[in-house]
Amino acid sequence: MYGELTDKKTIDKVRQTFDNYESNCFEILLYRKNRSPVWFYMQVAPIRNENDKVVLFLCTFKDITLFKQPIEDETTKGWTKFARLTRALTNNRNTLQQLAPIGKHEVSHKQSRLAEVLQLNSDILPQYKQEAPKTPPHIILHYCTFKTTWDWVILILTFYTAIMVPYNVSFKTKQNNIVWLVLDSVVDVIFLVDIVLNFHTTFVGPGGEVISDPKLIRMNYLKTWFVIDLLSCLPYDIINAFENVDEGISSLFSSLKVVRLLRLGRVARKLDHYLEYGAAVLVLLVCVFGLVAHWLACIWYSIGDYEVIDEATNTIKMDSWLYQLAISIGSPYQYNASGSGEWEGGPGKDSLYITSLYFTMTSLTTIGFGNIAPTTDGEKIFSVAMMMVGCKYKLCVVWAFW
């Protein structure tokens, strides 16, 4: 609608108003489809939702050609000023019909209002806000403050689970420490409460509408995340805490805890909002790198622990990195011939984890330093796969900051 007579500075002001999400008003010359110029009084008002974010703009246009200097275009070129004014009054007959006689008191009031308009006073523009959808009393909006805070709590606990679950499964730790047992039990209870809340939380439908029907909410949750959330909140640690639990059953329940890592899919959906910020992307890449290195360290130790003892001859493999580590720190493996008839001793869990994490870090960032080397076929295959993961991760980092 811009034309050759439209003021360039006014165009820039309009564009700046939209870019800065501001309220403003302008007198601007625009053009109809037949290229006839018209003066408009334009008002721009941002509409905000309950989170005070601008979701759309309300723009109103009032024809004020009657109050402006008659415009000389191609059809009126050569006309006198009086002729152009007569044509302007004729074209704005509807505007004249709206000007009904009013009293003196109203006249003075209207004149002051018109003066405010002509002074481009943005304070007279009303504040518009998007009305929140009506929901039943027991239904929670998925974007309300409480649900947003709750989602951040679940996000932090999910990261905690992503760190502790692989460690407990790989190093076969029984939670005999009462502090850790209580902490993990609290996490399980919070995940259980999250299931209850998800049955009463709205969601966005395929058409972009907010679904608040309780029946549809329950059906949607049962079809999507319910099974995963239910498996993730079962009290596996309490079962493993009992000393009389069979080792096979304990290992089974420990392995089932890995299902909790599927909750990271929710984390990925929430992090999409922050990928436009460079600092957020950098922090995210560092966190993902540390988490992947931690998972690979747990797998690396599990492979070494499984292959360090030759099951056929019941002997220690001297070339295993676990045996070499035990010798270097002065905690060698010893065979208990008089008691359990099994190999005992060896490095502590802290030393084993730190060494495993050191190896995975060096393999992901470089090609390793050789002080810890794979010896068995399983360890070599895993090392090759780990180097490929590290190479792919470096390419992703370069692509993200290209």
Side-chain angles (χ1 to χ4, degrees):
M1 298 177 70
Y2 296 154
E4 60 275 6
L5 297 180
T6 306
D7 186 38
K8 303 299 183 183
K9 294 182 179 180
T10 306
I11 296 176
D12 295 336
K13 289 180 181 179
V14 173
R15 184 178 293 109
Q16 185 178 4
T17 299
F18 285 111
D19 293 340
N20 297 335
Y21 304 105
E22 298 174 344
S23 299
N24 212 333
C25 44
F26 313 92
E27 290 184 359
I28 186 170
L29 181 65
L30 301 176
Y31 286 78
R32 294 193 179 98
K33 291 184 178 180
N34 59 3
R35 303 309 297 167
S36 60
V38 182
W39 276 100
F40 284 106
Y41 175 69
M42 175 181 177
Q43 291 178 314
V44 179
I47 299 179
R48 303 177 183 272
N49 58 15
E50 64 281 353
N51 296 326
D52 203 34
K53 291 184 178 180
V54 176
V55 293
L56 54 95
F57 288 90
L58 176 63
C59 300
T60 59
F61 297 86
K62 297 180 181 179
D63 189 349
I64 59 171
T65 308
L66 179 65
F67 305 103
K68 302 298 291 185
Q69 182 75 14
I71 307 168
E72 180 178 359
D73 55 11
E74 294 181 357
T75 59
T76 61
K77 190 172 296 184
W79 290 20
T80 63
K81 181 178 179 181
F82 178 77
R84 292 198 304 269
L85 178 59
T86 302
R87 184 192 178 189
L89 292 174
T90 304
N91 292 338
N92 292 274
R93 186 178 303 169
N94 294 333
T95 305
L96 290 174
Q97 291 175 354
Q98 297 174 1
L99 301 178
I102 52 180
K104 293 184 177 180
H105 178 71
E106 296 180 2
V107 169
S108 61
H109 175 71
K110 292 296 181 181
Q111 287 179 348
S112 62
R113 192 69 172 174
L114 180 60
E116 292 182 10
V117 169
L118 296 180
Q119 291 173 3
L120 303 182
N121 189 355
S122 61
D123 296 337
I124 67 173
L125 293 177
Q127 291 292 329
Y128 295 93
K129 285 199 173 183
Q130 186 183 35
E131 184 179 1
K134 303 296 182 181
T135 59
H138 62 282
I139 298 298
I140 305 172
L141 289 173
H142 63 279
Y143 53 83
C144 67
T145 305
F146 167 76
K147 194 60 173 66
T148 303
T149 306
W150 179 262
D151 287 341
W152 276 105
V153 173
I154 296 298
L155 176 65
I156 295 173
L157 294 181
T158 302
F159 273 112
Y160 166 79
T161 303
I163 294 173
M164 294 305 299
V165 166
Y167 178 83
N168 293 333
V169 172
S170 299
F171 289 86
K172 301 175 183 178
T173 59
K174 282 195 173 183
Q175 297 290 4
N176 295 327
N177 191 321
I178 189 64
V179 176
W180 287 106
L181 182 61
V182 171
L183 180 59
D184 288 337
S185 300
V186 170
V187 173
D188 294 337
V189 171
I190 293 177
F191 283 159
L192 182 61
V193 174
D194 183 57
I195 292 178
V196 177
L197 290 179
N198 286 328
F199 276 114
H200 299 82
T201 303
T202 61
F203 68 96
V204 179
E209 72 281 5
V210 177
I211 305 298
S212 59
D213 185 7
K215 184 178 180 180
L216 295 178
I217 292 175
R218 289 193 293 267
M219 294 300 298
N220 177 73
Y221 184 53
L222 288 173
K223 293 178 181 178
T224 53
W225 289 95
F226 173 71
V227 176
I228 295 175
D229 291 347
L230 180 62
L231 292 176
S232 68
C233 70
L234 294 179
Y236 305 108
D237 296 314
I238 295 180
I239 298 175
N240 291 335
F242 295 102
E243 295 293 341
N244 57 350
V245 175
D246 182 74
E247 186 67 25
I249 298 177
S250 177
S251 301
L252 175 62
F253 278 104
S254 297
S255 301
L256 285 176
K257 290 194 297 184
V258 180
V259 177
R260 293 181 175 181
L261 300 182
L262 296 177
R263 297 179 69 99
L264 290 174
R266 290 189 175 189
V267 177
R269 291 189 305 171
K270 296 183 182 300
L271 292 178
D272 287 341
H273 303 289
Y274 303 96
L275 296 182
E276 57 182 299
Y277 305 103
V281 173
L282 181 61
V283 173
L284 178 61
L285 290 175
V286 172
C287 293
V288 170
F289 178 79
L291 193 60
V292 171
H294 169 73
W295 291 347
L296 294 178
C298 295
I299 298 175
W300 170 253
Y301 167 74
S302 298
I303 296 174
D305 182 61
Y306 178 77
E307 297 181 341
V308 66
I309 300 177
D310 190 347
E311 297 291 342
T313 60
N314 197 23
T315 58
I316 289 288
K317 294 181 180 180
M318 300 296 182
D319 57 347
S320 172
W321 70 273
L322 287 176
Y323 179 80
Q324 299 295 332
L325 176 63
I327 296 297
S328 63
I329 64 176
S331 298
Y333 289 94
Q334 298 178 353
Y335 183 72
N336 189 351
S338 60
S340 60
E342 297 178 354
W343 288 92
E344 298 177 350
K349 286 185 171 58
D350 294 340
S351 179
L352 289 172
Y353 173 74
I354 293 174
T355 305
S356 301
L357 185 63
Y358 164 77
F359 173 75
T360 55
M361 283 287 190
T362 55
S363 298
L364 288 173
T365 55
T366 58
I367 55 173
F369 296 113
N371 50 353
I372 300 175
T375 54
T376 65
D377 291 340
E379 291 176 346
K380 291 177 181 178
I381 293 174
F382 180 75
S383 298
V384 172
M386 189 161 42
M387 293 177 189
M388 294 178 65
V389 171
C391 179
K392 185 176 181 180
Y393 183 82
K394 294 171 187 175
L395 293 176
C396 291
V397 172
V398 173
W399 176 82
F401 291 96
W402 182 254

